[in-house]
Amino acid sequence: MAASLLDGRLRSARETNDLGDVLMGSPDTTTTAADWEDAGAWTVRRDGFDAAGLRHEETVFTIGNGNFCVRGSFEEGHPKENAGSFMHRVWDDMPVNVTELAGLPRWWGLDLWLDGQRVLTDDDAASGMRRSLDLRTGLFARAFTWQADPGGARVEVSHERFVSLVDPHAAMLRTTVTLAEGEARLRVRAGASIHVENTGLLHWRLVGQSAGEDGVALVAVTRASGIPVATVVRTELSAPAEFTPGDADGAPACDYVLTLRAGQPVEIVRSVGIVPGLDTDRPLAVAREASDRLAEQGWERSLAASAAAWRQVWVDGDVEIDGDPEAQLSVRYNLFQLVIAAPRFTEDASIGAKTLSGYGYRHHVFWDTETFMLPVFTFTQPDVARNMLAYRCRRLAGARAKAAHNGFRGAQFPWESAGTGDEVTPTWVQQDARPEELVRIWTGDIEIHITADIAYALLQYVRVTGDEEFLRTQGAELVLDGARFWASAAVEEPDGQFHYRDVIGPDEYHEHVDDNAYTNHLAAWHLRSALEVWDHLQRTAPDVASALAERLELDDAERARWADVAARIHLAVDETGLIEQFSGYVGLEDADQAVLRDPARTLSMQQIHGIEGCNRTQNLKQPDVLMLCYLLPELFTPEQVETNYRYYDPRTDHELGSSLGPAISAVMACRAGDPETGYAHFLRAARADLLDVRANAADGIHGASAGGLWQAVVFGFAGLTLSEDGWAVRPALPHSWTRLRFSFHHRGVRQVVELTA
């Protein structure tokens, strides 16, 4: 059945098997879901190599620790690579997109020569490439055979790497070189280099460097933001070698030459410390300490310590699915990618739309984070969720500045946020097909629902965890000042209602709309919730309420206005229960189902119709109204949910619209009594990165899709709901699933749910 659920673009490319043969990176590069998984559904693997799919596979094999990540790029490099390693908070200026995380100096590089010939993987000398990622431990391994000439020396090269989950600044790499027969001369060059670029942009200035028998040290500073980063790489070989230091500017290296003999593999172990000046006023010393600590512990002990931390992650967050190996691996893989990107060690970072795995969206933080990713941590790793929410609370100044700039009061959160919390959405960008033409980006100006999205995530966290201390010390101020924005931005009109005009909802196929249902309902919810928070504080922490009222200059009259606005915001529902997505939506040209569901379609509906043309149709990038029903189910009857599901689901560009949509559509299909369609949506989310069904995974992991996948399982197929009395489930398992097991934390207690078919 699964093959029939793949989107038409892929079905038209070639015949599918049970797990779906799909395109990867280029029209002539194919793989299957089975190619990526092992029988235990804990290992992502890829045998063979085609350079056309390299950038996608670099994304797939990204590893990290919640402070920094590294793409699955090759130690020896490759002409078609899009290599990169990114660390939270190391922002630097850039044109158009304002700011981005500067790619870290190249700490993973290693060059080998055999009998004077460079060991590379971009020609026929390399064969038998195998790559694997062990999700249980975070260990990425790659191996290949190399022989330059038919009669020449032949070696097996094995690379392994992990980023320590227990040390925010540490990573370790081990390379093993094994000669098949005879003797050969092996040269090894290990070091670090600031000569890296973020898709053409240079971010580093050299401060200092050194190379000696104890390894290399490199200190560089970002060009505009002035953030220093120290990198130390300590290299140890298992055999005696001639040593020569290398001192090229910005690329210190240790050069070793030794004799390689058959039956005597040589191990090269590198212990890496990377420390920004943001963490200490002595980054070089701390980087040396991290590197030395790994070297002293050795490979096995260091890996075991990190693996132990990973075991606890999986105790808290694993999802077990029997009967569907693809679903099992996909869910675990997406959870892994969220864990390595989530800020475990700081309250001054969050997860960008493409996590820490690529250059897409320049690492900016969107509503994707709070609505799709953060719930995973709220329910499984609440300490991490608190860090992510603290990132927003600590950036209230930027939200207040945006509100003031737009003529409003309170806090209006930016559509795209980075280091400071100021708005960093680009105003104009080049059109992909015609770079000489610029496209106006309106989201930073008029996609305003994000303020309520953040408040929703915060109050969900408090409700699930019972963390009243966070609410009192940080969260309440955000909720209250966000409500002030909504009351300020609402416009009272002659009809006696309050309106929000000229906005964009989650469905970005439609710009400059009036009374977007999602926006209006979330605004009303935010205003009501702020009043509830205020009442709660007055009862439970009157001193906190008094201090907030004084600091925010919040009085009874303003709170009364909040209640009035909330009660009179325009909310349109017709006699059938249909919620109009925005004023005038149902009068637009209907979606052409023949085009929308065409199995040969390769373009999004917006690409087909153009920006303005699509704006005049009912085609949806993602279904706003269903997202509304998902977040605020208490407002709608089951009949209303089904009415809106039946109307909006067929009009949504599930295949090539927003990657945020399919997972939530899966939940709503379950709630509307249609779990098999829900499974079809689930698979679209599951395959977004592993199988690159949207042909854009090279840009980085689809973070919202990854978080949504967990929500599809837990809130959709398991039907988990919370209430004042506790929690309950209402299962709607796909027909192939024989067992589903997961756990979550509710008010400090770990709960385990196990469902069987």
Side-chain angles (χ1 to χ4, degrees):
M1 180 194 71
S4 65
L5 302 177
L6 284 170
D7 67 72
R9 173 173 63 89
L10 301 177
R11 285 205 307 272
S12 67
R14 63 193 300 261
E15 190 65 25
T16 59
N17 62 21
D18 279 347
L19 289 178
D21 291 4
V22 300
L23 294 176
M24 273 184 43
S26 71
D28 59 356
T29 304
T30 60
T31 189
T32 68
D35 286 337
W36 287 99
E37 63 190 51
D38 69 349
W42 277 108
T43 304
V44 177
R45 62 177 175 82
R46 178 71 166 121
D47 294 340
F49 174 63
D50 187 324
L54 175 58
R55 294 185 174 192
H56 164 219
E57 292 163 357
E58 285 178 309
T59 295
V60 167
F61 290 115
T62 297
I63 61 173
N65 67 354
N67 184 44
F68 72 101
C69 290
V70 58
R71 285 167 60 81
S73 308
F74 295 174
E75 283 76 0
E76 67 276 6
H78 193 281
K80 294 189 176 181
E81 72 178 7
N82 199 15
S85 178
F86 307 101
M87 179 176 282
H88 281 310
R89 300 174 297 144
V90 183
W91 297 99
D92 199 30
D93 296 358
M94 70 171 298
V96 181
N97 290 282
V98 185
T99 188
E100 66 177 348
L101 292 178
L104 294 174
R106 191 179 184 106
W107 54 267
W108 62 93
L110 183 75
D111 299 316
L112 302 174
W113 287 261
L114 194 67
D115 287 337
Q117 293 184 282
R118 183 85 172 267
V119 178
L120 297 171
T121 49
D122 60 348
D123 56 28
D124 293 337
S127 63
M129 179 86 73
R130 288 105 55 207
R131 282 163 289 175
S132 65
L133 170 56
D134 186 344
L135 302 174
R136 289 163 294 198
T137 63
L139 181 67
F140 171 49
R142 181 173 64 98
F144 59 91
T145 301
W146 189 87
Q147 185 176 30
D149 304 305
R154 178 165 56 88
V155 291
E156 177 79 8
V157 180
S158 170
H159 294 291
E160 300 167 282
R161 70 173 76 144
F162 69 92
V163 180
S164 174
L165 200 62
V166 295
D167 188 332
H169 305 122
M172 211 166 188
L173 308 96
R174 180 170 70 174
T175 297
T176 305
V177 184
T178 305
L179 185 65
E181 57 184 22
E183 292 185 356
R185 198 72 167 163
L186 177 66
R187 178 187 169 197
V188 179
R189 182 172 65 195
S193 174
I194 66 169
H195 302 302
V196 296
E197 43 90 12
N198 280 37
T199 60
L201 296 175
L202 302 179
H203 284 293
W204 297 104
R205 287 190 295 103
L206 178 64
V207 174
Q209 65 180 60
S210 64
E213 294 193 32
D214 61 344
V216 303
L218 177 66
V219 179
V221 63
T222 51
R223 292 173 179 262
S225 58
I227 299 172
V229 171
T231 304
V232 174
V233 181
R234 178 170 171 174
T235 303
E236 297 175 285
L237 276 65
S238 63
E242 303 170 14
F243 169 75
T244 304
D247 61 354
D249 282 350
C254 293
D255 215 299
Y256 306 89
V257 177
L258 67 153
T259 300
L260 189 62
R261 295 181 174 87
Q264 299 179 21
V266 170
E267 281 191 1
I268 307 149
V269 177
R270 291 174 289 154
S271 304
V272 181
I274 310 172
V275 179
L278 300 164
D279 290 343
T280 174
D281 58 2
R282 44 193 289 273
L284 180 57
V286 175
R288 286 192 187 279
E289 291 166 5
S291 176
D292 290 346
R293 193 161 48 245
L294 289 176
E296 181 181 349
Q297 291 176 342
W299 173 268
E300 298 298 342
R301 287 176 58 202
S302 298
L303 176 59
S306 184
W310 272 109
R311 278 195 295 276
Q312 187 57 52
V313 167
W314 291 117
V315 166
D316 291 334
D318 188 25
V319 173
E320 299 176 29
I321 300 170
D322 290 351
D324 190 342
E326 182 184 6
Q328 176 66 92
L329 182 71
S330 297
V331 171
R332 282 179 174 151
Y333 174 77
N334 281 279
L335 286 172
F336 175 89
Q337 288 296 336
L338 289 176
V339 169
I340 66 175
R344 306 178 71 80
F345 306 102
T346 180
E347 293 184 343
D348 276 318
S350 194
I351 310 178
K354 292 291 188 176
T355 68
L356 289 175
S357 61
Y359 296 93
Y361 296 111
R362 301 297 165 172
H363 317 106
H364 295 177
V365 180
F366 294 70
W367 78 302
D368 307 34
T369 303
E370 284 77 22
T371 305
F372 297 87
M373 300 181 234
L374 194 140
V376 176
F377 298 99
T378 292
F379 280 85
T380 65
Q381 297 180 62
D383 289 348
V384 176
R386 179 175 173 139
N387 285 350
M388 295 166 69
L389 289 166
Y391 163 83
R392 292 294 195 180
C393 293
R394 292 160 72 101
R395 280 151 186 79
L396 268 171
R400 287 167 173 151
K402 175 166 182 172
H405 176 78
N406 290 334
F408 304 127
R409 301 182 67 215
Q412 179 187 5
F413 278 89
W415 183 246
E416 298 185 30
S417 178
T420 65
D422 294 322
E423 180 65 78
V424 291
T425 303
T427 305
W428 297 88
V429 299
Q430 289 180 316
Q431 192 174 114
D432 289 340
R434 293 185 295 277
E436 70 278 4
E437 295 185 15
L438 297 179
V439 176
R440 179 68 163 88
I441 303 300
W442 288 103
T443 51
D445 299 275
I446 60 175
E447 192 155 359
I448 61 176
H449 60 81
I450 187 170
T451 297
D453 300 327
I454 293 169
Y456 183 97
L458 192 155
L459 293 180
Q460 182 185 60
Y461 165 81
V462 173
R463 187 173 71 253
V464 172
T465 64
D467 190 350
E468 291 284 333
E469 189 269 341
F470 179 78
L471 179 67
R472 292 193 298 269
T473 59
Q474 298 189 63
E477 184 171 358
L478 182 150
V479 173
L480 295 173
D481 229 19
R484 174 174 276 169
F485 158 72
W486 286 115
S488 173
V491 177
E492 185 177 12
E493 297 188 4
D495 62 1
Q497 296 185 315
F498 286 93
H499 299 263
Y500 298 98
R501 299 195 181 276
D502 192 24
V503 302
I504 301 174
D507 166 35
E508 293 170 357
Y509 279 178
H510 294 92
E511 301 175 335
H512 304 289
V513 303
D514 296 333
D515 289 322
N516 171 259
Y518 179 92
T519 302
N520 286 18
H521 273 279
L522 265 291
W525 170 88
H526 191 161
L527 289 161
R528 293 193 303 269
S529 296
L531 293 170
E532 292 171 5
V533 166
W534 174 258
D535 290 342
H536 175 76
L537 289 178
Q538 282 198 309
R539 290 193 309 272
T540 62
D543 291 346
V544 172
S546 177
L548 277 172
E550 183 177 353
R551 184 161 69 252
L552 297 178
E553 299 180 352
L554 179 61
D555 57 23
D556 292 344
E558 184 171 4
R559 291 192 297 276
R561 174 172 167 79
W562 294 0
D564 182 41
V565 173
R568 293 196 285 135
I569 288 176
H570 176 78
L571 304 173
V573 181
D574 73 11
E575 65 279 0
T576 69
L578 183 70
I579 304 163
E580 188 172 31
Q581 180 169 296
F582 54 82
S583 295
Y585 172 83
V586 296
L588 298 176
E589 177 187 342
D590 204 355
D592 186 335
Q593 292 295 318
V595 176
L596 185 57
R597 301 278 90 92
D598 181 359
R601 182 166 63 92
T602 61
L603 300 174
S604 73
M605 296 306 289
Q606 190 179 71
Q607 289 173 310
I608 290 172
H609 290 286
I611 294 174
E612 294 302 325
C614 200
N615 212 31
R616 294 191 292 268
T617 74
Q618 292 190 36
N619 290 291
L620 304 177
K621 186 176 182 181
Q622 64 187 84
D624 283 22
V625 171
L626 299 187
M627 189 75 204
L628 165 63
C629 294
Y630 171 61
L631 293 180
L632 301 177
E634 68 276 10
L635 300 183
F636 309 105
T637 67
E639 293 75 20
Q640 283 180 298
V641 169
E642 183 170 0
T643 294
N644 285 278
Y645 169 75
R646 299 296 174 191
Y647 189 88
Y648 287 108
D649 190 73
R651 290 166 170 80
T652 301
D653 188 356
H654 299 293
E655 296 83 2
L656 295 165
S658 173
S659 63
L660 283 61
I664 303 307
S665 290
V667 177
M668 296 312 299
C670 291
R671 292 184 181 177
D674 190 7
E676 292 310 316
T677 298
Y679 183 68
H681 293 317
F682 168 86
L683 284 181
R684 292 188 180 99
R687 293 167 172 170
D689 294 309
L690 279 177
L691 300 189
D692 195 17
V693 296
R694 294 174 180 270
N696 62 0
D699 295 334
I701 293 293
H702 294 79
S705 182
L709 196 68
W710 181 89
Q711 295 189 55
V713 173
V714 172
F715 302 132
F717 300 133
L720 177 68
T721 58
L722 302 183
S723 67
E724 293 299 323
D725 299 324
W727 59 271
V729 293
R730 186 180 180 183
L733 300 185
H735 77 274
S736 62
W737 294 15
T738 58
R739 185 179 74 99
L740 170 62
R741 185 181 189 274
F742 63 92
S743 64
F744 66 96
H745 291 266
H746 185 235
R747 297 192 172 270
V749 179
R750 180 169 175 260
Q751 311 288 335
V752 178
V753 177
E754 183 162 357
L755 305 170
T756 56

